[in-house]
């Protein structure tokens, strides 16, 4: 009984759920069917999901090609939030590729506008990641805590915990490994509760590295095993 538009919306949500579960190739296959939609915003939305999946698979050439196609539609997209979400996907891909200054440019473009809190949360974390890779994070932690607070306020626990990972890496680089471990341990239950494999694997791997550097081999192995799982 669904209209064709409702069916497309449902198919998009299924493709998104597949990606969230960590099955990125399957998500790409599901989302590709939506690139033929007569609705330009659905084509843009599906394209953004595919770009994100290619970035997570580290298939950067495919991701950049899809990004070009997606950005070619942006002037036809009337929904401001959707346009900014698309730019957010660009910041994520460029960070994964190693184009940190380009990622920072897009993130700051989003943050300079009037994007909703959720979109600003994603852009804020992308900015933190770019700055960290460029060795340009401020000495203080206020910027990172601000992103964590903003993401929590938007209900984005997953992104808030990626930001905590950024903070833990910053502290570890400053020689404060014990403080970094304590931060991650405090939020590990929440991180596991997101059910997002990429976040869980990333934080478990980071915990393993930090604990190994402290000489805690047994617990480092436990977290490394959890990351592999």
């Amino acid at each position: 009984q669904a209209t064709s538009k409702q069916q497309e919306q449902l198919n998009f949500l299924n493709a998104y759920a597949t990606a969230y579960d960590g099955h990125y190739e399957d998500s790409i296959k599901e989302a590709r069917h939506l690139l033929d939609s007569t609705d330009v915003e659905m084509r843009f939305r599906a394209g953004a999901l595919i770009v994100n999946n290619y970035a997570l698979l580290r298939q950067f050439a495919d991701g950049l090609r899809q990004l070009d196609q997606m950005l070619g539609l942006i002037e036809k997209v009337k929904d401001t939030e959707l346009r900014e979400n698309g730019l957010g996907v660009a910041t994520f891909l460029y960070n994964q590729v190693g184009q940190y200054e380009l990622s920072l440019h897009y993130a700051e473009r989003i943050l300079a506008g009037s994007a909703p809190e959720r979109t600003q949360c994603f852009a804020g974390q992308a900015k933190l990641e770019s700055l960290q890779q460029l060795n340009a994070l401020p000495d203080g932690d206020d910027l990172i805590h601000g992103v964590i607070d903003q993401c929590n306020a938007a209900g984005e626990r997953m992104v808030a915990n990626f930001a905590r990972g950024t903070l833990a890496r910053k502290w570890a680089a400053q020689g404060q490994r014990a403080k970094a471990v304590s931060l991650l341990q405090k939020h590990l239950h929440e991180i596991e509760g997101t059910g997002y494999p990429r976040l869980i694997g990333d934080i478990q791997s980071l915990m393993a590295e930090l604990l190994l550097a402290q000489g805690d081999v047994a617990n480092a192995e436990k977290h490394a095993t959890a990351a592999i799982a």
Side-chain angles (χ1 to χ4, degrees):
Q1 295 175 331
T3 65
S4 59
K5 184 173 182 177
Q6 289 170 333
Q7 188 63 56
E8 285 182 349
Q9 289 171 335
L10 181 60
N11 290 342
F12 174 79
L13 290 172
N14 284 330
Y16 189 97
T18 300
Y20 194 94
D21 286 340
H23 304 296
Y24 307 122
E25 290 179 350
D26 290 339
S27 178
I28 289 170
K29 290 176 185 175
E30 293 172 19
R32 279 213 169 279
H33 296 293
L34 297 169
L35 295 179
D36 296 326
S37 172
T38 57
D39 183 344
V40 67
E41 293 193 344
M42 179 54 74
R43 294 203 304 274
F44 186 83
R45 195 184 299 274
L49 178 59
I50 292 170
V51 171
N52 197 70
N53 286 329
Y54 275 136
L56 291 165
L57 288 166
R58 304 190 71 75
Q59 295 180 16
F60 298 135
D62 291 326
L64 289 166
R65 276 194 291 270
Q66 188 66 54
L67 181 64
D68 279 344
Q69 293 178 29
M70 185 198 82
L71 293 178
L73 299 172
I74 198 166
E75 296 303 323
K76 298 177 182 178
V77 174
K78 296 178 181 178
D79 186 323
T80 303
E81 182 177 357
L82 181 55
R83 284 203 305 269
E84 288 169 338
N85 285 345
L87 294 178
V89 169
T91 68
F92 178 64
L93 176 61
Y94 286 132
N95 264 338
Q96 299 304 303
V97 174
Q99 297 286 335
Y100 305 119
E101 291 182 352
L102 197 52
S103 176
L104 184 61
H105 165 76
Y106 277 103
E108 290 186 329
R109 179 174 163 183
I110 295 168
L111 293 168
S114 55
E117 198 164 39
R118 179 176 182 270
T119 307
Q120 292 211 15
C121 154
F122 279 88
Q125 168 53 18
K127 178 178 178 177
L128 294 180
E129 188 174 342
S130 301
L131 290 172
Q132 189 162 58
Q133 295 294 340
L134 292 166
N135 295 314
L137 278 173
D139 291 335
D141 300 330
D142 288 350
L143 180 64
I144 303 178
H145 284 303
V147 171
I148 293 170
D149 291 344
Q150 187 171 48
C151 291
N152 280 327
E156 286 294 340
R157 292 182 303 145
M158 179 258 287
V159 189
N161 282 297
F162 271 120
R164 289 192 180 103
T166 300
L167 181 57
R169 287 182 172 90
K170 178 174 183 271
W171 285 347
Q174 294 171 338
Q176 302 181 79
R177 277 194 295 267
K179 187 178 178 182
V181 168
S182 178
L183 172 70
L184 298 178
Q185 283 178 330
K186 180 181 177 182
H187 295 282
L188 200 54
H189 180 72
E190 180 181 319
I191 289 163
E192 295 279 356
T194 66
Y196 188 46
R198 181 170 176 266
L199 170 66
I200 296 166
D202 183 67
I203 297 299
Q204 291 283 12
S205 174
L206 177 56
M207 286 282 289
E209 291 176 32
L210 296 174
L211 289 165
L212 186 61
Q214 288 184 314
D216 188 348
V217 177
N219 278 315
E221 184 175 1
K222 183 182 79 171
H223 286 285
T225 301
I228 292 167

